[in-house]
Amino acid sequence: LKAGYTAVPLTLVPRDLYFYADGTVGGEKVKFWLDSGQNATVLDGLLAKRLKPKLGDEHQVAGVDGVWTGREVGLPSLAVG
């Protein structure tokens, strides 16, 4: 692993005031919404059902819209940019 950084293009959605970056999870194209106040990455339920990841421990995930129960998962691959 080389020290430094990799520039990742971000897209601003002005109406909603958030950024996203293109990427892949398990070979499927996705958009990663960037939330600077969140400490977890959350997968869409439909994507999770297609990927069938190994499920781990349950955790409470809080956001501006409320609190949800989520699970740790193992992903086959994840790439941003």
Side-chain angles (χ1 to χ4, degrees):
L1 181 64
K2 183 178 176 182
Y5 71 94
T6 300
V8 175
L10 301 179
T11 301
L12 171 64
V13 180
R15 184 188 77 210
D16 298 323
L17 294 177
Y18 68 82
F19 289 94
Y20 72 84
D22 291 318
T24 61
V25 174
E28 292 202 33
K29 291 183 180 181
V30 298
K31 294 190 182 305
F32 288 100
W33 290 18
L34 305 179
D35 182 347
S36 62
Q38 188 52 269
N39 65 352
T41 299
V42 179
L43 290 182
D44 173 76
L46 294 175
L47 175 62
K49 284 181 182 179
R50 284 196 305 274
L51 294 175
K52 297 181 174 108
K54 180 180 176 186
L55 299 178
D57 295 336
E58 270 191 9
H59 297 279
Q60 295 295 309
V61 179
V64 295
D65 294 335
V67 177
W68 301 276
T69 300
R71 298 187 78 106
E72 292 179 12
V73 297
L75 299 173
S77 64
L78 183 145
V80 179

